[in-house]
Amino acid sequence: AQKVTQAQTEISVVEKEDVTLDCVYETRDTTYYLFWYKQPPSGELVFLIRRNSFDEQNEISGRYSWNFQKSTSSFNFTITASQVVDSAVYFCALLTGFQKLVFGTGTRLLVSP
Amino acid sequence: NAGVTQTPKFRVLKTGQSMTLLCAQDMNHEYMYWYRQDPGMGLRLIHYSVGEGTTAKGEVPDGYNVSRLKKQNFLLGLESAAPSQTSVYFCASSFGSSGNTIYFGEGSWLTVV
């Protein structure tokens, strides 16, 4: 069975703090893809990153970085120097086999000024 | 620059009424999906389609029907709305091969009273 666990329900930080959102996944497939999506207060789902199971290289995009570790089945997301505009719900998701995306329950990030 | 467009964005229904949510995508994607989002449960797949004229059940299909008469459109129908169908509905689309990024619409807020 495919499963994604985001144990952190809500995180509160003060602006400029660094914050890491955890994601742990379960799958028996050897080929799979991991995603992060952002859901701001306006409600839409914004694609942030896609990573396939054969590429464990970490990625950095501006203030965002992702740490993929197959040994611990984790795909963690770090925001450096957080800003108020980063306040949102962040979803980690796993895609295996036939384009079926399995979502975690999300982590709500609150960044206060 | 439209991407995935959903209509309507907000709707209030009485129990037993029927309605249809319309999804349109302009990215020439083969696959389309309908998800529902409920508090604390992430997003769950209702139905999906791998091409014009085809549909398939997802994780939570009961109480919903879908149709894909045109490649760019995917309709979600509620035949007899129930309060348990109060949710936020997201349409999504992707190219057909495995591992492609799934792009989401802005969501449709449905309340059944």
Side-chain angles (χ1 to χ4, degrees), chain A residues 10-77:
Chain A
E10 185 170 307
I11 302 174
S12 293
V13 299
V14 177
E15 212 170 15
K16 297 184 183 178
E17 284 186 23
D18 299 346
V19 58
T20 296
L21 310 181
D22 298 332
C23 173
V24 174
Y25 62 93
E26 295 176 29
T27 180
R28 293 182 179 177
D29 291 354
T30 54
T31 301
Y32 54 89
Y33 302 83
L34 295 162
F35 296 80
W36 276 94
Y37 288 86
K38 174 182 180 180
Q39 187 174 40
S42 51
E44 71 271 26
L45 276 167
V46 179
F47 163 73
L48 294 178
I49 189 171
R50 166 182 173 273
R51 182 54 99 220
N52 74 57
S53 54
F54 299 108
D55 183 3
E56 285 193 74
Q57 199 168 17
N58 292 331
E59 181 156 338
I60 298 174
S61 176
R63 296 183 298 107
Y64 295 172
S65 63
W66 291 269
N67 183 0
F68 176 28
Q69 290 194 335
K70 289 179 74 172
S71 60
T72 55
S73 297
S74 64
F75 187 43
N76 296 338
F77 173 29

Side-chain angles (χ1 to χ4, degrees), chain A residues 31 33 35 37 39 41-47 49-50 89 91 95-106, chain B residues 31 33 35 37 40-43 45 48 50 57 90 94-106 109:
Chain A
T31 301
Y33 302 83
F35 296 80
Y37 288 86
Q39 187 174 40
S42 51
E44 71 271 26
L45 276 167
V46 179
F47 163 73
I49 189 171
R50 166 182 173 273
V89 180
F91 290 96
L95 189 151
T96 64
F98 192 64
Q99 281 294 91
K100 290 187 182 179
L101 206 53
V102 174
F103 282 84
T105 52
Chain B
Y31 289 11
Y33 317 79
Y35 286 83
Q37 181 181 21
M41 301 188 74
L43 280 83
L45 183 63
Y48 63 99
V50 301
K57 294 180 179 179
F90 285 93
S94 74
F95 287 114
S97 53
S98 182
N100 276 290
T101 298
I102 297 176
Y103 294 95
F104 287 82
E106 295 185 339
W109 274 252

